[in-house]
Amino acid sequence: MSITLPDFDKLREMAQRDPEGLERLRVELCDQLIQSAPEAYRRKLRGLQFRVDMERRRAKSPMAACIAISAM
């Protein structure tokens, strides 16, 4: 499976003008990637994605989220 991202300028524009749309795209692409993984790994990947999402929600800033996630 091939996942194609919009180019950087399009992603930047979405971040500025349509952050909800960018978030929907992020969720959709993560789901596609997990679905494309072998079935034996999907449950673990969903668990990891859940942990990443929780760290993002708990963080006080995007940079704090990035640091917390990279420490995982």
Side-chain angles (χ1 to χ4, degrees), residues 7-31:
D7 65 35
F8 177 81
D9 291 329
K10 176 66 176 168
L11 292 171
R12 182 179 52 169
E13 179 183 328
M14 287 180 76
Q16 293 171 346
R17 297 179 189 209
D18 185 15
E20 295 86 12
L22 182 59
E23 178 62 13
R24 283 190 304 272
L25 177 64
R26 183 191 71 81
V27 169
E28 179 183 324
L29 292 174
C30 288
D31 286 344

Side-chain angles (χ1 to χ4, degrees), residues 16-68:
Q16 293 171 346
R17 297 179 189 209
D18 185 15
E20 295 86 12
L22 182 59
E23 178 62 13
R24 283 190 304 272
L25 177 64
R26 183 191 71 81
V27 169
E28 179 183 324
L29 292 174
C30 288
D31 286 344
Q32 285 179 19
L33 184 62
I34 291 170
Q35 279 303 113
S36 71
E39 190 172 341
Y41 296 109
R42 289 182 198 158
R43 183 173 179 191
K44 193 166 203 159
L45 288 170
R46 290 211 184 277
L48 179 58
Q49 185 61 53
F50 176 81
R51 290 179 52 211
V52 167
D53 290 341
M54 290 301 105
E55 289 295 335
R56 291 180 72 230
R57 287 188 185 131
R58 288 187 337 167
K60 295 180 184 201
S61 70
M63 182 57 76
C66 183
I67 291 168

